[in-house]
Amino acid sequence: MAPRAPRQPFNDVVTGFWSFAAPAYDTRFLQRWVYRPAQDELIAALRARRPARVADIACGTGILADRIERELAPEAVYGVDMSDGMLAEARARSSRVRWLTGAAEQLPFGDGELDAVVCSSAFHFFNQPAAVAEFHRVLAPGGMAAVTAMSPRLSDPIHALTGIRWNPARQPTPSEMSALFTDAGFTVADQHRVARPAWTLAVSDLITVGVKP
């Protein structure tokens, strides 16, 4: 097997922070207004396809994976995260989801083992091309990857003028997100802005759904 692509260099720091801060992640305001709209979009994408084996990547405290298990009842639901603190909270939330330690760029699944992969509000932490390629690897033919990611609504004026981006590829535009999927071998089946209340539109996120041919 070829060596897997590396994670982002600062990810160990991020993982350590969330291990410490995991209990705060579940505050009602943060979940309802920041995270739930994106999770609702992913639930809808899964409901439309009814996959049997689903993994939530960077699952955090397990809120989305638990919803998938309770609301959609697939044959198997996995929650994958690098943070021990997050996974401890997740295991306390549900004994029916299978909680695993792993990185988005090095998923703990065999080739073609899953029917759907979802990721909510964590894509900016990843080595993005490596993560999308890994999503493609672990999916069976016809499988779906659905990702919600921070994505600017307006162009970066510095990039437009100089060609230099201060934070390259971390918050991809819709076209860049589509390119990440197609370069990995996906067909982009849907892409749109996450539906949010008007007063929360400062959270500028995008859902992209890809299907493995």
Side-chain angles (χ1 to χ4, degrees):
M1 179 182 294
R4 303 282 182 84
R7 302 171 66 212
Q8 292 286 4
F10 66 98
N11 272 12
D12 289 340
V13 175
V14 173
T15 298
F17 168 78
W18 282 118
S19 292
F20 172 78
Y25 181 82
D26 284 352
T27 58
R28 182 172 298 180
F29 177 87
L30 191 65
Q31 286 299 322
R32 180 177 181 183
W33 299 116
V34 176
Y35 295 115
R36 188 176 179 97
Q39 293 170 1
D40 287 345
E41 297 269 10
L42 295 172
I43 291 284
L46 291 170
R47 183 174 283 115
R49 299 188 70 88
R50 291 286 176 180
R53 302 161 297 172
V54 183
D56 176 17
I57 310 305
C59 66
T61 60
I63 291 173
L64 176 59
D66 179 51
R67 284 188 63 191
I68 292 168
E69 194 282 326
R70 288 185 294 102
E71 297 178 25
L72 303 179
E75 291 178 12
V77 181
Y78 302 90
V80 182
D81 204 281
M82 284 296 295
S83 165
D84 292 337
M86 287 289 196
L87 289 173
E89 298 281 330
R91 291 187 179 100
R93 184 181 305 281
S94 174
S95 61
R96 296 179 298 276
V97 176
R98 305 176 196 183
W99 307 108
L100 303 173
T101 301
E105 304 88 346
Q106 300 175 3
L107 292 175
F109 303 104
D111 295 356
E113 190 173 340
L114 302 175
D115 302 302
V117 169
V118 297
C119 178
S120 176
S121 307
F123 194 67
H124 51 285
F125 291 129
F126 303 159
N127 176 330
Q128 293 169 355
V132 179
E134 190 72 342
F135 298 167
H136 188 275
R137 180 187 69 79
V138 302
L139 288 172
M144 178 192 79
V147 176
T148 63
M150 298 301 297
S151 176
R153 292 176 182 271
L154 301 175
S155 61
D156 180 349
I158 295 175
H159 180 252
L161 290 171
T162 68
I164 299 171
R165 179 173 294 163
W166 70 275
N167 198 12
R170 299 299 298 284
Q171 295 187 7
T173 64
S175 61
E176 289 168 341
M177 196 70 179
S178 293
L180 283 168
F181 272 65
T182 56
D183 288 351
F186 286 102
T187 297
V188 175
D190 185 27
Q191 185 182 75
H192 59 268
R193 290 286 170 186
V194 171
R196 290 184 172 278
W199 67 274
T200 66
L201 290 180
V203 181
S204 179
D205 47 354
L206 180 79
I207 180 169
T208 304
V209 179
V211 176
K212 180 175 179 176

